[in-house]
Amino acid sequence: MDKTRGRRIRFLVWYVLAWTVAALYFFSQSLSQKFHFNDPTPWWHSLFSWLTGMYLNALVTPLTLWLGRRFPFQRSNWLRPLAVHLACSLTFPFVQLAVEAVILESAGILPAIGGNSFRDAFGFLLVLGYHGTVMTYWTVLGIQAALRYYRRYQEREKEALQLELQSSELKTQLVRAQLSALKVQLQPHFLFNTLNAIMVLVRQQKGHEAEEMIGRFSDLLRCVLEDVDAQEVPLRRELEYLKLYLSIEEVRFQDRLRVEMDVSPDVLDAAVPHMVLQPIVENAIRHGIGRSSTAGRIRVVARRVKQALEVVVEDDGPGLAPGAAESRAGIGLKNTKARLLQLYGDAATLTLQNGERGGAVARIVLPYRIAPEPSKVMEVHATQCADRR
C-alpha cells in the first residue's frame, strides 16, 4: 500500500510539474510580447492567467482520458466515438473558459484582459483561447490513442515472441523425440545381434565362451545405460564403449580379430554422438571378418581436420561389391546417418566405400567442438567401465 501511495504521489507531482512547465512556456511568449509592445500590465497578471488556464486543462484531462477509454476509435466503430468527442471538444472549452473567467474576476485581473465584467472576460477568453482549448482536447486524445496502439504493438510483439519461443521449443522437443526414437531403435538392434551371437555359442556347446560373452555384455550394457539420456559424449568415452564391445567380439572370434586404434590425443575431448561407432564397427566385423575364414583387422582412426573431426573405421575384408554400398548399410548405418542429420544437418557426413588397399572404409566427418565437461559421477562411471575391461 505504501509503495502504491508513493507512486501515486510521484505521478501527481510530475503531472502538475508538466502543466506548470507548459504554462511557463506560454508565459515567456506573453512576456516577450509585453516588452516588445511596452504593455504596462503587470507581468504577474499574465503568469497567473496562464497558470490558471493550464491547471484547468490538468483538471479536464482525466475526464478527456476517461472519454477516450470509454469511446475509443476502432475500424469497425468510429462514427459514434467521433460524434461524442467532437461534441465534447466543442463543449468543454465553454465550461473551462467560463470557470477561468470566474477565477480571474475573483483575482481582480479582468481589467488587464479587456474588460470590467465577467461577460467581457468570458468573451475575450473565447476569442483568445477557444481554439487552443479544442486543440488541447484532441491532442490529449491523440496521445492516449498513440500510447494505446503502442501498448498493443508491444503486446503483439510479445505474443509473437512467445509463439516463436513455443515453436522453437516444440521443434527442439520434436528433434529430441526423433533422436531418442532413433537411439531406442539402435539399442534393441545391438542387443538382439549380441544375443544371437551368444545363442550361436550355446548351440556350438561353447559354454565357457558364452558365459564370458554374457559377462562382458552385461558390463557394456551397464555403462551404456548410464548415458542413456545423453545424445553426445566425449570421444574418449565413446572409445571406452567401443573397447567393451570389441572385447565381446574377441570372445566370439578369438584370435581371428585384430583391432588397431590410431586416435590423436587432441581429439579425445571432442563431442560425438553416443554409440556412434558401435554399429559401424559391428558392420565392419559382420561383412569383413565374419565372411572370411582367416584373421582380420579392424582399424579405427580419429583426427582433427581443420574445423572438423574425422573418424575412420577400416577393415581388410572382401570390400564392397559394385553398387553394394546401400545394401550393406543395414539398420545400424541407416540409423546412424539419420542421427547425424538430426544433430548436425549437412555439417556431418557418413560415407562407406572400398579402401585403396582392399576392404571397406567407413568415414564419419563431424563439426569439431569440445564436449561439455562431464560431472564427477560420469567420470567415476567411465573409470568403472574401463576397469571392467
Side-chain angles (χ1 to χ4, degrees), residues 84-126:
V84 170
H85 291 303
L86 189 61
C88 292
S89 65
L90 296 176
T91 304
F92 283 6
F94 286 100
V95 179
Q96 184 175 338
L97 293 174
V99 174
E100 185 176 353
V102 171
I103 295 174
L104 295 180
E105 181 184 16
S106 302
I109 300 180
L110 287 180
I113 59 174
N116 295 315
S117 66
F118 167 78
R119 180 179 178 180
D120 293 334
F122 182 55
F124 181 81
L125 289 175
L126 282 177

Side-chain angles (χ1 to χ4, degrees), residues 343-386:
L343 283 170
Y344 310 105
D346 296 334
T349 59
L350 169 59
T351 58
L352 183 64
Q353 60 188 16
N354 282 319
E356 296 179 357
R357 292 173 292 183
V361 178
R363 177 176 283 100
I364 301 176
V365 179
L366 308 172
Y368 180 85
R369 60 185 180 83
I370 301 299
E373 287 293 330
S375 64
K376 290 185 176 180
V377 175
M378 299 278 282
E379 291 175 358
V380 170
H381 290 335
T383 302
Q384 291 174 348
C385 290

Side-chain angles (χ1 to χ4, degrees), residues 181-243:
L182 290 170
K183 196 172 178 182
V184 168
Q185 182 185 13
L186 179 63
Q187 288 166 350
H189 174 70
F190 158 64
L191 175 65
F192 295 147
N193 285 352
T194 307
L195 289 177
N196 285 334
I198 294 173
M199 287 180 61
V200 171
L201 292 176
V202 172
R203 288 173 180 174
Q204 293 176 352
Q205 297 183 352
K206 297 180 179 179
H208 176 72
E209 289 84 351
E211 289 179 5
E212 188 172 355
M213 184 179 284
I214 291 173
R216 296 186 183 186
F217 181 56
S218 175
D219 291 339
L220 176 59
L221 278 182
R222 190 178 297 110
C223 290
V224 170
L225 291 176
E226 286 166 356
D227 288 334
V228 68
D229 294 326
Q231 291 298 340
E232 289 183 314
V233 295
L235 179 60
R236 67 172 72 250
R237 277 182 70 77
E238 186 66 17
L239 292 175
E240 293 296 340
Y241 304 142
L242 182 60
K243 291 175 183 177

Side-chain angles (χ1 to χ4, degrees), residues 64-372:
T64 304
L65 294 175
W66 180 85
L67 288 170
R69 292 190 298 269
R70 181 67 178 80
F71 302 99
F73 286 99
Q74 299 175 349
R75 292 182 179 179
S76 59
N77 181 24
W78 59 270
L79 189 58
R80 183 185 179 191
L82 178 61
V84 170
H85 291 303
L86 189 61
C88 292
S89 65
L90 296 176
T91 304
F92 283 6
F94 286 100
V95 179
Q96 184 175 338
L97 293 174
V99 174
E100 185 176 353
V102 171
I103 295 174
L104 295 180
E105 181 184 16
S106 302
I109 300 180
L110 287 180
I113 59 174
N116 295 315
S117 66
F118 167 78
R119 180 179 178 180
D120 293 334
F122 182 55
F124 181 81
L125 289 175
L126 282 177
V127 173
L128 187 66
Y130 179 82
H131 293 83
T133 308
V134 172
M135 287 301 300
T136 300
Y137 179 94
W138 285 100
T139 300
V140 171
L141 207 63
I143 293 174
Q144 182 192 41
L147 291 175
R148 179 167 58 245
Y149 283 117
Y150 178 69
R151 283 195 296 269
R152 288 179 181 176
Y153 170 78
Q154 285 186 318
E155 290 174 357
R156 286 195 295 268
E157 285 289 310
K158 186 177 180 181
E159 291 174 356
L161 287 174
Q162 289 177 344
L163 289 175
E164 185 177 353
L165 180 60
Q166 291 175 357
S167 176
S168 177
E169 290 177 349
L170 287 175
K171 289 181 180 178
T172 301
Q173 291 174 3
L174 177 60
V175 170
R176 288 177 179 172
Q178 291 172 339
L179 285 169
S180 297
L182 290 170
K183 196 172 178 182
V184 168
Q185 182 185 13
L186 179 63
Q187 288 166 350
H189 174 70
F190 158 64
L191 175 65
F192 295 147
N193 285 352
T194 307
L195 289 177
N196 285 334
I198 294 173
M199 287 180 61
V200 171
L201 292 176
V202 172
R203 288 173 180 174
Q204 293 176 352
Q205 297 183 352
K206 297 180 179 179
H208 176 72
E209 289 84 351
E211 289 179 5
E212 188 172 355
M213 184 179 284
I214 291 173
R216 296 186 183 186
F217 181 56
S218 175
D219 291 339
L220 176 59
L221 278 182
R222 190 178 297 110
C223 290
V224 170
L225 291 176
E226 286 166 356
D227 288 334
V228 68
D229 294 326
Q231 291 298 340
E232 289 183 314
V233 295
L235 179 60
R236 67 172 72 250
R237 277 182 70 77
E238 186 66 17
L239 292 175
E240 293 296 340
Y241 304 142
L242 182 60
K243 291 175 183 177
L244 279 170
Y245 169 72
L246 288 171
S247 70
I248 296 173
E249 295 294 348
E250 286 172 354
V251 175
R252 177 183 172 191
F253 290 98
Q254 298 181 356
D255 296 334
R256 290 176 54 203
L257 176 60
R258 194 171 70 255
V259 179
E260 297 177 6
M261 289 197 180
D262 182 9
V263 179
S264 178
D266 61 340
V267 299
L268 290 175
D269 293 325
V272 297
H274 184 213
M275 293 294 291
V276 70
L277 293 179
Q278 185 274 328
I280 297 175
V281 172
E282 180 184 7
N283 189 73
I285 293 175
R286 178 182 176 186
H287 295 280
I289 300 173
R291 293 186 176 181
S292 175
S293 59
T294 60
R297 177 179 61 88
I298 300 292
R299 186 167 182 260
V300 179
V301 181
R303 56 179 175 266
R304 181 175 180 178
V305 181
K306 296 181 179 180
Q307 297 303 315
L309 171 67
E310 185 181 65
V311 182
V312 178
V313 178
E314 303 175 352
D315 67 68
D316 58 358
L320 303 172
E326 290 298 324
S327 62
R328 179 164 168 175
I331 294 176
L333 290 185
K334 290 180 180 178
N335 187 292
T336 301
K337 284 185 177 181
R339 290 181 64 201
L340 293 177
L341 181 63
Q342 289 287 354
L343 283 170
Y344 310 105
D346 296 334
T349 59
L350 169 59
T351 58
L352 183 64
Q353 60 188 16
N354 282 319
E356 296 179 357
R357 292 173 292 183
V361 178
R363 177 176 283 100
I364 301 176
V365 179
L366 308 172
Y368 180 85
R369 60 185 180 83
I370 301 299

Side-chain angles (χ1 to χ4, degrees), residues 4-120:
T4 304
R5 184 179 180 183
R7 284 196 297 267
R8 289 178 179 175
I9 292 175
R10 285 194 296 271
F11 172 77
L12 182 60
V13 170
W14 283 106
Y15 183 72
V16 174
L17 182 61
W19 285 106
T20 302
V21 170
L24 293 176
Y25 172 79
F26 290 107
F27 165 67
S28 66
Q29 183 181 18
S30 299
L31 200 62
S32 300
Q33 295 173 355
K34 168 182 167 57
F35 286 115
H36 181 75
F37 295 108
N38 294 319
D39 187 355
T41 304
W43 62 268
W44 65 271
H45 285 196
S46 178
L47 176 62
F48 186 86
S49 298
W50 279 112
L51 287 173
T52 301
M54 289 301 168
Y55 287 155
L56 286 174
N57 281 332
L59 292 175
V60 172
T61 296
L63 178 58
T64 304
L65 294 175
W66 180 85
L67 288 170
R69 292 190 298 269
R70 181 67 178 80
F71 302 99
F73 286 99
Q74 299 175 349
R75 292 182 179 179
S76 59
N77 181 24
W78 59 270
L79 189 58
R80 183 185 179 191
L82 178 61
V84 170
H85 291 303
L86 189 61
C88 292
S89 65
L90 296 176
T91 304
F92 283 6
F94 286 100
V95 179
Q96 184 175 338
L97 293 174
V99 174
E100 185 176 353
V102 171
I103 295 174
L104 295 180
E105 181 184 16
S106 302
I109 300 180
L110 287 180
I113 59 174
N116 295 315
S117 66
F118 167 78
R119 180 179 178 180
D120 293 334

